[in-house]
Amino acid sequence: MTDAGHHSEWLFPGYRPGQHIHPNTLMERLREIGIDLLGARNASLRALVKEVPAPLVAEMLGYSYQVTQKHSAAAAEPWSRYPRIQATRIMTDTIGIGR
């Protein structure tokens, strides 16, 4: 850590006071210590689509729906069925269908 970033509010402080580290510098440092950035990104997306429906992840992070849906399928989390199941159960309970 640099002296400029010692009391910084940034998680990854840069060399100038009040500035964050440049993304390319951070990328190079992570690669130097052996972190596979593509693998880490893919693992993070797959973990996220287990918790949040793929279309919402796409909108939050600026990905296409197709990309997040592929990650969802690879994570074996079929969120695409969730709203249909919930809507059917709510309608049945609300208007008494099937009683």
Side-chain angles (χ1 to χ4, degrees), residues 32-70:
E32 285 173 3
I33 61 173
I35 295 177
D36 174 18
L37 299 176
L38 181 59
R41 183 188 70 190
N42 288 337
S44 296
L45 276 172
R46 287 190 183 158
L48 187 56
V49 295
K50 284 183 176 183
E51 302 293 325
V52 180
L56 292 179
V57 173
E59 288 193 25
M60 289 187 303
L61 300 178
Y63 283 93
S64 71
Y65 294 124
Q66 293 83 8
V67 168
T68 56
Q69 194 60 43
K70 285 180 182 179

Side-chain angles (χ1 to χ4, degrees), residues 67-80:
V67 168
T68 56
Q69 194 60 43
K70 285 180 182 179
H71 281 280
S72 181
E77 293 294 327
W79 277 105
S80 60

